[in-house]
């Protein structure tokens, strides 16, 4: 199909339950788990939140658990992929058997993504990137000298947008996430159009039972042609398998 990078198909039927077999188009069997063969496809997953320094002891951060990205990386590995996981600050335990690149700031995250994205078949951008960073990071700990204090912030680069617009003619499939507290689908549609990625996975963060810091999620997958599919509430590992199946369909 059109979404298939380099002729790779992930079979819909039970690839994960059967131990993760990826089948190349034309029926040639590719590497499954533990087969010892080289991986047939590669993916880069980016997760966690960025950390932006204010002074040597304070920073701006967010509540990202990293779970969704970790589960996607695991699911991709189970489906035979060669996986790189780039992670900012995250409260969940990262997988230990996946190549792991730890980053702090949005600028560092961009560097790490930039180094890997072009050679990957799929890039899944699940990170909570700080939209802003402190313009002038104080070299010394800020004293409480004044009654009020303002921090001047400057915009961070939009990593998802930048990689989507610079992939040229490569087959790299790019998936973004979008976290919204209102008008979920409207905002998701606007976002896929402005970012230029192939898919957006839309998350409703106003709900306590799913998404941020939860083990479960319920998402909508929005395609570039604006097709929408709902993935019913499920554990993040199952949602991850379904997302991979959908994007490679
Ligand atoms: N993203 C990114 N770089 C940024 C901000 C966001 O790559 N500087 C990515 C996120 O990882 C996610 C997607 O863009 O895959 C959407 O993130 P989201 O926070 O929903 O949207 P924003 O682009 O930050 O827009 P806004 O805050 O205005 O809703």
């Amino acid at each position: 199909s059109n979404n298939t990078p380099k002729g790779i198909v992930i079979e819909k039927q039970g690839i994960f339950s059967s131990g993760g077999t990826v089948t190349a188009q034309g029926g040639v069997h590719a590497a499954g788990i533990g087969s010892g063969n080289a991986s047939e496809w590669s993916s880069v997953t980016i997760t966690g939140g960025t950390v932006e320094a204010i002074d040597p002891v304070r920073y701006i951060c967010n509540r990202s658990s990293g779970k969704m990205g970790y589960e996607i990386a695991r699911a991709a590995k189970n489906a035979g992929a060669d996986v790189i996981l780039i992670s900012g600050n995250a409260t969940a335990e990262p997988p230990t058997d996946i190549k792991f690149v730890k980053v702090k700031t949005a600028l560092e995250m961009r560097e790490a993504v930039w180094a890997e994205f072009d050679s990957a078949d799929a890039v899944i951008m699940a990170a909570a990137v700080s939209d802003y960073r402190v313009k002038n990071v104080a070299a010394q700990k800020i004293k409480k000298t004044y009654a009020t204090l303002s921090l001047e912030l400057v915009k961070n680069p939009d990593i998802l947008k930048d990689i989507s617009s610079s992939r040229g003619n490569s087959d790299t499939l790019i998936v973004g996430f979008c976290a919204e507290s209102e008008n979920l689908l409207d905002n998701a549609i606007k976002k896929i159009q402005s970012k230029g990625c192939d898919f957006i996975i839309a998350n409703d963060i106003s709900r306590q039972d799913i998404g941020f810091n939860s083990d479960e999620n319920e998402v909508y997958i929005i395609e570039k042609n604006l097709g929408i599919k709902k993935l019913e509430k499920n554990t993040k590992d199952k949602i991850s398998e379904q997302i991979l199946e959908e994007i490679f369909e």
Side-chain angles (χ1 to χ4, degrees):
S1 82
N2 289 339
N3 295 327
T4 307
K6 298 172 189 157
I8 297 159
V9 166
I10 295 187
E11 282 180 339
K12 277 220 83 138
Q13 249 95 49
I15 48 156
F16 295 99
S17 53
S18 69
T21 307
V22 175
T23 309
Q25 246 167 6
V28 182
H29 280 276
I33 294 178
S35 66
N37 294 329
S39 299
E40 282 292 302
W41 64 291
S42 62
S43 75
V44 179
T45 301
I46 307 104
T47 194
T50 64
V51 178
E52 311 292 341
I54 297 170
D55 69 13
V57 292
R58 288 105 170 192
Y59 53 79
I60 297 171
C61 194
N62 59 64
R63 293 180 207 274
S64 176
S65 67
K67 274 178 201 159
M68 195 65 229
Y70 291 165
E71 292 303 337
I72 286 182
R74 283 194 182 98
K77 185 162 195 259
N78 290 343
D82 185 19
V83 182
I84 295 172
L85 183 55
I86 298 170
S87 180
N89 190 64
T91 55
E93 278 301 309
T96 52
D97 55 346
I98 288 177
K99 186 178 169 196
F100 192 76
V101 181
K102 179 96 195 194
V103 294
K104 266 208 175 93
T105 65
L107 295 177
E108 279 174 34
M109 184 176 276
R110 183 177 65 167
E111 285 300 304
V113 176
W114 215 252
E116 303 292 349
F117 91 91
D118 220 14
S119 55
D121 293 306
V123 177
I124 298 106
M125 183 67 192
V129 186
S130 174
D131 290 327
Y132 295 90
R133 66 178 180 277
V134 176
K135 188 175 180 190
N136 299 305
V137 178
Q140 305 301 330
K141 188 180 169 209
I142 298 171
K143 292 288 184 189
K144 54 174 185 298
T145 312
Y146 305 105
T148 64
L149 176 70
S150 300
L151 285 175
E152 191 174 359
L153 304 178
V154 290
K155 230 179 205 165
N156 269 326
D158 189 323
I159 301 170
L160 180 62
K161 193 171 178 174
D162 289 352
I163 61 172
S164 298
S165 63
S166 28
R167 64 186 144 163
N169 292 324
S170 82
D171 296 330
T172 305
L173 202 58
I174 300 181
V175 182
F177 273 72
C178 94
E180 302 292 343
S181 58
E182 57 182 356
N183 305 327
L184 181 66
L185 288 178
D186 280 355
N187 284 327
I189 287 168
K190 281 190 198 122
K191 236 164 234 180
I192 195 171
Q193 289 171 334
S194 69
K195 305 261 183 181
C197 54
D198 300 298
F199 294 90
I200 282 268
I201 315 296
N203 252 309
D204 181 350
I205 57 164
S206 70
R207 283 176 54 180
Q208 298 294 312
D209 59 326
I210 54 167
F212 247 49
N213 273 312
S214 166
D215 288 326
E216 296 189 306
N217 213 347
E218 177 187 291
V219 300
Y220 291 87
I221 301 185
I222 292 107
E223 285 181 70
K224 206 159 44 180
N225 67 12
L226 303 186
I228 296 176
K229 174 154 187 174
K230 185 179 185 186
L231 300 183
E232 295 297 340
K233 186 171 162 178
N234 210 328
T235 52
K236 283 184 175 172
D237 60 328
K238 289 281 177 289
I239 293 278
S240 300
E241 294 173 0
Q242 289 168 21
I243 288 171
L244 292 177
E245 285 170 352
E246 288 300 325
I247 70 173
F248 285 113
E249 194 177 51

